[in-house]
């Protein structure tokens, strides 16, 4: 199975922006910004959450919020504040906020079909 990447721009509370190259991770709940990126746009921790990694390890990370602009639109989203060595991830919460899904066969981002139940 291949990897899917997408480039975007993240913007902090004082309108500082930075370009980021994200790995689209359909197994990640929240998006993650590397430490240099979230510091450059002036994010600060708003809360601390526990996340479970694919191997079952539980880790705690700070979370904040920013705007993410992708070729598909611009929306406000929660983001994990990465630590040294963490890579930029685009998680399912951000994808849902943007109205996108990762197509499982061709590994592309596509507009989600919205259902009204």
């Amino acid at each position: 199975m291949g990897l899917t990447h997408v480039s975007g721009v993240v913007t902090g509370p004082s309108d500082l922006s930075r370009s980021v190259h994200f790995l689209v991770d359909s197994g990640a709940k929240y998006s993650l910004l590397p430490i240099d990126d979230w510091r450059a746009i002036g994010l600060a921790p708003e809360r601390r959450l526990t996340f479970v990694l694919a191997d079952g390890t539980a880790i705690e990370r700070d979370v904040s919020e920013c705007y993410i602009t992708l070729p598909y639109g611009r929306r406000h989203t929660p983001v994990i504040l990465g630590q040294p060595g963490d890579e930029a991830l685009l998680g399912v919460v951000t994808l849902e906020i943007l109205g996108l899904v990762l197509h499982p066969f061709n590994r592309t981002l596509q507009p989600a079909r919205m259902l009204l139940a």
Side-chain angles (χ1 to χ4, degrees):
M1 185 173 293
L3 300 176
T4 303
H5 291 88
V6 64
S7 292
V9 175
V10 292
T11 305
S14 60
D15 286 334
L16 293 172
S17 295
R18 188 157 171 137
S19 294
V20 178
H21 192 68
F22 293 96
L23 169 65
V24 180
D25 187 347
S26 61
K29 185 105 174 162
Y30 281 3
S31 295
L32 184 144
L33 291 180
I35 191 167
D36 291 341
D37 295 322
W38 66 261
R39 284 186 173 167
I41 64 170
L43 295 186
E46 295 180 2
R47 62 187 186 269
R48 191 159 183 88
L49 297 175
T50 301
F51 297 91
V52 178
L53 302 178
D55 67 0
T57 304
I59 61 169
E60 288 191 0
R61 291 293 165 88
D62 291 321
V63 175
S64 189
E65 296 186 13
C66 70
Y67 280 93
I68 293 183
T69 305
L70 300 176
Y72 315 95
R74 179 180 192 258
R75 295 288 182 265
H76 191 260
T77 185
V79 289
I80 300 168
L81 302 180
Q83 295 180 358
D86 288 344
E87 296 185 33
L89 299 176
L90 193 65
V92 294
V93 168
T94 303
L95 291 175
E96 288 177 0
I97 288 170
L98 285 162
L100 300 170
V101 294
L102 179 63
H103 189 284
F105 299 115
N106 63 19
R107 307 290 300 170
T108 60
L109 292 179
Q110 298 181 353
R113 291 179 45 191
M114 300 297 180
L115 300 176
L116 184 60

